[in-house]
Amino acid sequence: ELIFRSEGLTKVYRTGDVSVYALRGVDMRLHAGELTVLLGPSGSGKSTLLNILGGLDRASEGRAWFRDHELTAMTDRELTAYRRDHVGFVFQFYNLVASLTARENVELVTEIARAPMPAAEALAMVGLDHRLDHFPAQLSGGEQQRVAIARAIAKRPEVLLCDEPTGALDSKTGIQVLEALERINRDLGTTTVVITHNAGIQAMAHRVVFFADGRINEVRENATRARPA
Ligand code: ADP
Ligand code: ADP
């Protein structure tokens, strides 16, 4: 079952008379329930693609769908509702509220979600059940990122989009963050897309998509990770 699909997806940034092609006709298919990794050099278009899939940015040409819904045909209001109801985001920087505990940071989201997970349960999923009442400044970088991940999953999104979640972490701490994403993918079945340079992810992913210069070069399936049911 496909959850995302794109045809000829193109993104051009125009500044004055300079045009930068971030995406040059990307045809892509992502399978529901899978953990997919986007790899490729800096500037190859990975973030641009992730932002379009998440409804944070618009394509210049081509089409993209989330299930039966055409993202590239949505109004701004529809894209906002799509992001709110279906997508969790994780970025390199955690953006936690310094004056709130881990639990309270997660509760900020669960207050407005329709069928949220209790904050303590979301934090347990990322291995932070012993840090509920800690403030961000009392947590390591990896722990803060795991709070951000708990916040992203607490509204039970169908899709979790992660742009360099390990970018500010050393590789060992980064692995712990990626393991939290793998657990979420396994236990909740959340379709997960991750941009990371941490090589540890390749064994965890169902599929690795290689980008170069605004195009998909290669898609490699990981035979050692069973497909989701
Ligand atoms: P990465 O995705 O590799 O972490 P960034 O997203 O920070 O890197 O930026 C990738 C490239 O996009 C950089 O070369 C940066 O200069 C360029 N870039 C990002 N945002 C803008 C912008 N608003 N205007 C112009 N160039 C930008
Ligand atoms: P990656 O995530 O693979 O590093 P990006 O999607 O961030 O790549 O960037 C792809 C290309 O688009 C790069 O050449 C980058 O400089 C350019 N780019 C990204 N964002 C902007 C922006 N806001 N304005 C102008 N150019 C941008």
Side-chain angles (χ1 to χ4, degrees):
E1 182 199 2
L2 294 181
I3 191 162
F4 282 118
R5 192 158 60 85
S6 78
E7 287 176 3
L9 209 60
T10 297
K11 178 72 179 183
V12 191
Y13 289 105
R14 291 204 170 83
T15 316
D17 44 9
V18 179
S19 294
V20 173
Y21 277 79
L23 297 176
R24 300 169 184 268
V26 168
D27 299 330
M28 188 211 52
R29 298 140 64 87
L30 292 183
H31 298 253
E34 288 196 354
L35 197 167
T36 301
V37 182
L38 310 185
L39 286 185
S42 185
S44 58
K46 306 179 297 293
S47 296
T48 301
L49 179 69
L50 203 76
N51 289 342
I52 294 171
L53 296 183
L56 292 171
D57 199 356
R58 287 186 176 279
S60 308
E61 283 172 54
R63 302 171 78 187
W65 292 262
F66 168 75
R67 300 195 187 281
D68 299 339
H69 309 287
E70 187 179 345
L71 297 169
T72 40
M74 287 186 189
T75 63
D76 287 351
R77 185 187 292 262
E78 287 167 337
L79 278 180
T80 301
Y82 160 70
R83 286 197 303 269
R84 183 194 61 215
D85 295 340
H86 300 288
V87 188
F89 293 98
V90 179
F91 298 102
Q92 177 170 352
F93 301 104
Y94 326 123
N95 284 314
L96 301 176
V97 180
S99 61
L100 299 180
T101 64
R103 186 205 307 263
E104 290 165 345
N105 267 281
V106 175
E107 282 170 352
L108 280 182
V109 171
T110 59
E111 276 167 18
I112 56 169
R114 258 189 232 145
M117 196 185 291
E121 187 182 329
L123 285 160
M125 288 227 52
V126 297
L128 290 179
D129 29 347
H130 58 307
R131 294 280 188 268
L132 299 181
D133 299 315
H134 284 58
F135 291 92
Q138 300 172 309
L139 299 172
S140 70
E143 287 173 333
Q144 290 183 58
Q145 184 61 294
R146 284 185 281 149
V147 174
I149 292 169
R151 180 181 57 188
I153 62 165
K155 65 176 183 181
R156 302 184 193 274
E158 287 169 81
V159 181
L160 186 59
L161 302 180
C162 311
D163 193 346
E164 305 249 15
T166 62
L169 303 172
D170 64 61
S171 71
K172 188 158 151 272
T173 310
I175 289 280
Q176 291 168 358
V177 165
L178 297 176
E179 283 170 349
L181 295 174
E182 186 191 22
R183 185 169 336 126
I184 287 159
N185 171 254
R186 275 182 199 278
D187 293 356
L188 300 180
T190 311
T191 303
T192 304
V193 186
V194 186
I195 298 174
T196 180
H197 298 288
N198 190 309
I201 189 90
Q202 293 207 41
M204 303 177 190
H206 293 100
R207 217 173 283 265
V208 182
V209 178
F210 293 86
F211 279 74
D213 198 22
R215 293 193 176 86
I216 292 178
N217 247 358
E218 187 187 348
V219 179
R220 219 176 278 166
E221 281 190 50
N222 180 359
T224 64
R225 236 206 108 173
R227 306 261 79 77

PDB file of all heavy atoms in Angstrom, residues 13-15 20-23 40-49 163-164 195 211, ligand 2:
ATOM      1  N   TYR A  13      13.944  27.338  -6.997  1.00  0.00           N
ATOM      2  CA  TYR A  13      14.023  28.563  -6.200  1.00  0.00           C
ATOM      3  C   TYR A  13      14.538  29.662  -7.106  1.00  0.00           C
ATOM      4  O   TYR A  13      15.596  29.525  -7.707  1.00  0.00           O
ATOM      5  CB  TYR A  13      14.983  28.384  -5.024  1.00  0.00           C
ATOM      6  CG  TYR A  13      14.460  27.469  -3.944  1.00  0.00           C
ATOM      7  CD1 TYR A  13      14.967  26.179  -3.803  1.00  0.00           C
ATOM      8  CD2 TYR A  13      13.472  27.890  -3.056  1.00  0.00           C
ATOM      9  CE1 TYR A  13      14.495  25.338  -2.800  1.00  0.00           C
ATOM     10  CE2 TYR A  13      12.996  27.065  -2.062  1.00  0.00           C
ATOM     11  CZ  TYR A  13      13.516  25.793  -1.938  1.00  0.00           C
ATOM     12  OH  TYR A  13      13.053  24.968  -0.944  1.00  0.00           O
ATOM     13  N   ARG A  14      13.789  30.741  -7.232  1.00  0.00           N
ATOM     14  CA  ARG A  14      14.223  31.866  -8.069  1.00  0.00           C
ATOM     15  C   ARG A  14      14.574  33.048  -7.182  1.00  0.00           C
ATOM     16  O   ARG A  14      13.783  33.477  -6.361  1.00  0.00           O
ATOM     17  CB  ARG A  14      13.114  32.254  -9.038  1.00  0.00           C
ATOM     18  CG  ARG A  14      12.886  31.190 -10.093  1.00  0.00           C
ATOM     19  CD  ARG A  14      12.256  31.747 -11.376  1.00  0.00           C
ATOM     20  NE  ARG A  14      12.313  30.705 -12.404  1.00  0.00           N
ATOM     21  CZ  ARG A  14      11.414  29.716 -12.510  1.00  0.00           C
ATOM     22  NH1 ARG A  14      10.391  29.665 -11.687  1.00  0.00           N
ATOM     23  NH2 ARG A  14      11.552  28.790 -13.436  1.00  0.00           N
ATOM     24  N   THR A  15      15.770  33.534  -7.336  1.00  0.00           N
ATOM     25  CA  THR A  15      16.203  34.738  -6.622  1.00  0.00           C
ATOM     26  C   THR A  15      16.738  35.689  -7.676  1.00  0.00           C
ATOM     27  O   THR A  15      17.783  35.434  -8.270  1.00  0.00           O
ATOM     28  CB  THR A  15      17.308  34.391  -5.601  1.00  0.00           C
ATOM     29  OG1 THR A  15      16.943  33.197  -4.899  1.00  0.00           O
ATOM     30  CG2 THR A  15      17.508  35.517  -4.604  1.00  0.00           C
ATOM     31  N   VAL A  20      17.660  28.099  -8.934  1.00  0.00           N
ATOM     32  CA  VAL A  20      18.287  26.904  -8.369  1.00  0.00           C
ATOM     33  C   VAL A  20      17.263  25.776  -8.421  1.00  0.00           C
ATOM     34  O   VAL A  20      16.159  25.917  -7.889  1.00  0.00           O
ATOM     35  CB  VAL A  20      18.726  27.139  -6.909  1.00  0.00           C
ATOM     36  CG1 VAL A  20      19.225  25.842  -6.273  1.00  0.00           C
ATOM     37  CG2 VAL A  20      19.792  28.215  -6.833  1.00  0.00           C
ATOM     38  N   TYR A  21      17.635  24.687  -9.098  1.00  0.00           N
ATOM     39  CA  TYR A  21      16.752  23.525  -9.142  1.00  0.00           C
ATOM     40  C   TYR A  21      17.034  22.635  -7.947  1.00  0.00           C
ATOM     41  O   TYR A  21      18.076  21.998  -7.885  1.00  0.00           O
ATOM     42  CB  TYR A  21      16.944  22.750 -10.456  1.00  0.00           C
ATOM     43  CG  TYR A  21      16.163  23.350 -11.585  1.00  0.00           C
ATOM     44  CD1 TYR A  21      16.631  24.471 -12.252  1.00  0.00           C
ATOM     45  CD2 TYR A  21      14.930  22.819 -11.963  1.00  0.00           C
ATOM     46  CE1 TYR A  21      15.897  25.057 -13.278  1.00  0.00           C
ATOM     47  CE2 TYR A  21      14.187  23.397 -12.985  1.00  0.00           C
ATOM     48  CZ  TYR A  21      14.676  24.512 -13.632  1.00  0.00           C
ATOM     49  OH  TYR A  21      13.937  25.085 -14.631  1.00  0.00           O
ATOM     50  N   ALA A  22      16.089  22.598  -7.002  1.00  0.00           N
ATOM     51  CA  ALA A  22      16.258  21.740  -5.819  1.00  0.00           C
ATOM     52  C   ALA A  22      15.767  20.329  -6.109  1.00  0.00           C
ATOM     53  O   ALA A  22      16.334  19.353  -5.632  1.00  0.00           O
ATOM     54  CB  ALA A  22      15.505  22.327  -4.634  1.00  0.00           C
ATOM     55  N   LEU A  23      14.702  20.218  -6.925  1.00  0.00           N
ATOM     56  CA  LEU A  23      14.200  18.909  -7.370  1.00  0.00           C
ATOM     57  C   LEU A  23      13.993  18.977  -8.876  1.00  0.00           C
ATOM     58  O   LEU A  23      13.452  19.952  -9.390  1.00  0.00           O
ATOM     59  CB  LEU A  23      12.877  18.554  -6.683  1.00  0.00           C
ATOM     60  CG  LEU A  23      12.898  18.375  -5.154  1.00  0.00           C
ATOM     61  CD1 LEU A  23      11.473  18.119  -4.634  1.00  0.00           C
ATOM     62  CD2 LEU A  23      13.820  17.229  -4.737  1.00  0.00           C
ATOM     63  N   GLY A  40      22.130  11.259   0.645  1.00  0.00           N
ATOM     64  CA  GLY A  40      22.662  12.000  -0.499  1.00  0.00           C
ATOM     65  C   GLY A  40      23.399  13.221  -0.012  1.00  0.00           C
ATOM     66  O   GLY A  40      23.213  13.658   1.126  1.00  0.00           O
ATOM     67  N   PRO A  41      24.227  13.805  -0.882  1.00  0.00           N
ATOM     68  CA  PRO A  41      25.029  14.950  -0.477  1.00  0.00           C
ATOM     69  C   PRO A  41      24.170  16.149  -0.071  1.00  0.00           C
ATOM     70  O   PRO A  41      23.004  16.240  -0.453  1.00  0.00           O
ATOM     71  CB  PRO A  41      25.844  15.291  -1.730  1.00  0.00           C
ATOM     72  CG  PRO A  41      25.542  14.284  -2.748  1.00  0.00           C
ATOM     73  CD  PRO A  41      24.450  13.400  -2.270  1.00  0.00           C
ATOM     74  N   SER A  42      24.761  17.049   0.690  1.00  0.00           N
ATOM     75  CA  SER A  42      24.106  18.289   1.064  1.00  0.00           C
ATOM     76  C   SER A  42      23.707  19.042  -0.205  1.00  0.00           C
ATOM     77  O   SER A  42      24.475  19.106  -1.162  1.00  0.00           O
ATOM     78  CB  SER A  42      25.072  19.117   1.907  1.00  0.00           C
ATOM     79  OG  SER A  42      24.420  20.254   2.371  1.00  0.00           O
ATOM     80  N   GLY A  43      22.496  19.565  -0.229  1.00  0.00           N
ATOM     81  CA  GLY A  43      22.034  20.300  -1.402  1.00  0.00           C
ATOM     82  C   GLY A  43      21.411  19.433  -2.488  1.00  0.00           C
ATOM     83  O   GLY A  43      21.045  19.933  -3.545  1.00  0.00           O
ATOM     84  N   SER A  44      21.239  18.125  -2.241  1.00  0.00           N
ATOM     85  CA  SER A  44      20.727  17.237  -3.298  1.00  0.00           C
ATOM     86  C   SER A  44      19.202  17.192  -3.340  1.00  0.00           C
ATOM     87  O   SER A  44      18.637  16.507  -4.198  1.00  0.00           O
ATOM     88  CB  SER A  44      21.318  15.830  -3.147  1.00  0.00           C
ATOM     89  OG  SER A  44      21.027  15.272  -1.891  1.00  0.00           O
ATOM     90  N   GLY A  45      18.530  17.889  -2.424  1.00  0.00           N
ATOM     91  CA  GLY A  45      17.078  18.002  -2.535  1.00  0.00           C
ATOM     92  C   GLY A  45      16.276  17.247  -1.482  1.00  0.00           C
ATOM     93  O   GLY A  45      15.047  17.270  -1.514  1.00  0.00           O
ATOM     94  N   LYS A  46      16.948  16.603  -0.540  1.00  0.00           N
ATOM     95  CA  LYS A  46      16.248  15.760   0.441  1.00  0.00           C
ATOM     96  C   LYS A  46      15.272  16.569   1.305  1.00  0.00           C
ATOM     97  O   LYS A  46      14.114  16.183   1.463  1.00  0.00           O
ATOM     98  CB  LYS A  46      17.272  15.055   1.358  1.00  0.00           C
ATOM     99  CG  LYS A  46      18.337  14.278   0.599  1.00  0.00           C
ATOM    100  CD  LYS A  46      19.335  13.625   1.544  1.00  0.00           C
ATOM    101  CE  LYS A  46      20.165  14.588   2.392  1.00  0.00           C
ATOM    102  NZ  LYS A  46      21.113  15.416   1.614  1.00  0.00           N
ATOM    103  N   SER A  47      15.744  17.674   1.859  1.00  0.00           N
ATOM    104  CA  SER A  47      14.866  18.488   2.724  1.00  0.00           C
ATOM    105  C   SER A  47      13.705  19.059   1.931  1.00  0.00           C
ATOM    106  O   SER A  47      12.578  19.129   2.427  1.00  0.00           O
ATOM    107  CB  SER A  47      15.633  19.662   3.334  1.00  0.00           C
ATOM    108  OG  SER A  47      16.645  19.209   4.179  1.00  0.00           O
ATOM    109  N   THR A  48      13.986  19.474   0.717  1.00  0.00           N
ATOM    110  CA  THR A  48      12.931  20.039  -0.129  1.00  0.00           C
ATOM    111  C   THR A  48      11.828  19.009  -0.346  1.00  0.00           C
ATOM    112  O   THR A  48      10.641  19.313  -0.214  1.00  0.00           O
ATOM    113  CB  THR A  48      13.527  20.503  -1.466  1.00  0.00           C
ATOM    114  OG1 THR A  48      14.539  21.478  -1.202  1.00  0.00           O
ATOM    115  CG2 THR A  48      12.467  21.101  -2.370  1.00  0.00           C
ATOM    116  N   LEU A  49      12.213  17.777  -0.643  1.00  0.00           N
ATOM    117  CA  LEU A  49      11.214  16.731  -0.847  1.00  0.00           C
ATOM    118  C   LEU A  49      10.431  16.483   0.443  1.00  0.00           C
ATOM    119  O   LEU A  49       9.190  16.415   0.436  1.00  0.00           O
ATOM    120  CB  LEU A  49      11.869  15.429  -1.314  1.00  0.00           C
ATOM    121  CG  LEU A  49      10.838  14.309  -1.499  1.00  0.00           C
ATOM    122  CD1 LEU A  49       9.942  14.606  -2.691  1.00  0.00           C
ATOM    123  CD2 LEU A  49      11.498  12.962  -1.662  1.00  0.00           C
ATOM    124  N   ASP A 163      13.942  15.498   9.710  1.00  0.00           N
ATOM    125  CA  ASP A 163      14.993  16.131   8.912  1.00  0.00           C
ATOM    126  C   ASP A 163      16.242  16.319   9.770  1.00  0.00           C
ATOM    127  O   ASP A 163      16.283  17.204  10.614  1.00  0.00           O
ATOM    128  CB  ASP A 163      14.502  17.480   8.378  1.00  0.00           C
ATOM    129  CG  ASP A 163      15.424  18.032   7.295  1.00  0.00           C
ATOM    130  OD1 ASP A 163      16.558  17.526   7.149  1.00  0.00           O
ATOM    131  OD2 ASP A 163      15.003  18.975   6.601  1.00  0.00           O
ATOM    132  N   GLU A 164      17.214  15.476   9.547  1.00  0.00           N
ATOM    133  CA  GLU A 164      18.478  15.509  10.300  1.00  0.00           C
ATOM    134  C   GLU A 164      18.269  15.505  11.818  1.00  0.00           C
ATOM    135  O   GLU A 164      18.828  16.359  12.524  1.00  0.00           O
ATOM    136  CB  GLU A 164      19.307  16.746   9.899  1.00  0.00           C
ATOM    137  CG  GLU A 164      19.549  16.823   8.409  1.00  0.00           C
ATOM    138  CD  GLU A 164      21.009  16.598   8.034  1.00  0.00           C
ATOM    139  OE1 GLU A 164      21.778  16.103   8.896  1.00  0.00           O
ATOM    140  OE2 GLU A 164      21.363  16.903   6.889  1.00  0.00           O
ATOM    141  N   ILE A 195      15.926  11.827   7.199  1.00  0.00           N
ATOM    142  CA  ILE A 195      17.157  12.300   6.569  1.00  0.00           C
ATOM    143  C   ILE A 195      18.230  12.266   7.653  1.00  0.00           C
ATOM    144  O   ILE A 195      18.058  12.881   8.715  1.00  0.00           O
ATOM    145  CB  ILE A 195      17.015  13.748   6.064  1.00  0.00           C
ATOM    146  CG1 ILE A 195      15.926  13.832   4.995  1.00  0.00           C
ATOM    147  CG2 ILE A 195      18.352  14.265   5.522  1.00  0.00           C
ATOM    148  CD1 ILE A 195      15.626  15.265   4.553  1.00  0.00           C
ATOM    149  N   PHE A 211      19.681  10.290  -3.141  1.00  0.00           N
ATOM    150  CA  PHE A 211      19.490  11.508  -3.922  1.00  0.00           C
ATOM    151  C   PHE A 211      20.816  11.999  -4.472  1.00  0.00           C
ATOM    152  O   PHE A 211      21.847  11.881  -3.822  1.00  0.00           O
ATOM    153  CB  PHE A 211      18.925  12.627  -3.038  1.00  0.00           C
ATOM    154  CG  PHE A 211      17.451  12.542  -2.828  1.00  0.00           C
ATOM    155  CD1 PHE A 211      16.917  11.580  -1.994  1.00  0.00           C
ATOM    156  CD2 PHE A 211      16.600  13.424  -3.468  1.00  0.00           C
ATOM    157  CE1 PHE A 211      15.554  11.492  -1.796  1.00  0.00           C
ATOM    158  CE2 PHE A 211      15.233  13.349  -3.277  1.00  0.00           C
ATOM    159  CZ  PHE A 211      14.710  12.385  -2.451  1.00  0.00           C
TER     160      PHE A 211
HETATM  161  P1  ADP B   2      19.480  18.673   1.082  1.00  0.00           P
HETATM  162  O1  ADP B   2      18.369  18.523   2.070  1.00  0.00           O
HETATM  163  O2  ADP B   2      19.730  17.430   0.281  1.00  0.00           O
HETATM  164  O3  ADP B   2      20.715  19.234   1.686  1.00  0.00           O
HETATM  165  P2  ADP B   2      17.937  20.907   0.089  1.00  0.00           P
HETATM  166  O4  ADP B   2      16.618  20.358  -0.287  1.00  0.00           O
HETATM  167  O5  ADP B   2      18.085  21.588   1.404  1.00  0.00           O
HETATM  168  O6  ADP B   2      19.004  19.734  -0.010  1.00  0.00           O
HETATM  169  O7  ADP B   2      18.443  21.915  -1.022  1.00  0.00           O
HETATM  170  C1  ADP B   2      18.384  21.609  -2.404  1.00  0.00           C
HETATM  171  C2  ADP B   2      18.859  22.816  -3.191  1.00  0.00           C
HETATM  172  O8  ADP B   2      17.929  23.865  -3.045  1.00  0.00           O
HETATM  173  C3  ADP B   2      20.195  23.371  -2.758  1.00  0.00           C
HETATM  174  O9  ADP B   2      20.874  23.821  -3.895  1.00  0.00           O
HETATM  175  C4  ADP B   2      19.819  24.539  -1.891  1.00  0.00           C
HETATM  176  O10 ADP B   2      20.815  25.502  -1.884  1.00  0.00           O
HETATM  177  C5  ADP B   2      18.541  25.023  -2.538  1.00  0.00           C
HETATM  178  N1  ADP B   2      17.628  25.657  -1.586  1.00  0.00           N
HETATM  179  C6  ADP B   2      17.020  25.048  -0.543  1.00  0.00           C
HETATM  180  N2  ADP B   2      16.194  25.895   0.088  1.00  0.00           N
HETATM  181  C7  ADP B   2      16.284  27.062  -0.577  1.00  0.00           C
HETATM  182  C8  ADP B   2      15.664  28.323  -0.433  1.00  0.00           C
HETATM  183  N3  ADP B   2      14.763  28.552   0.521  1.00  0.00           N
HETATM  184  N4  ADP B   2      15.993  29.305  -1.312  1.00  0.00           N
HETATM  185  C9  ADP B   2      16.870  29.084  -2.282  1.00  0.00           C
HETATM  186  N5  ADP B   2      17.507  27.913  -2.499  1.00  0.00           N
HETATM  187  C10 ADP B   2      17.204  26.920  -1.655  1.00  0.00           C
END
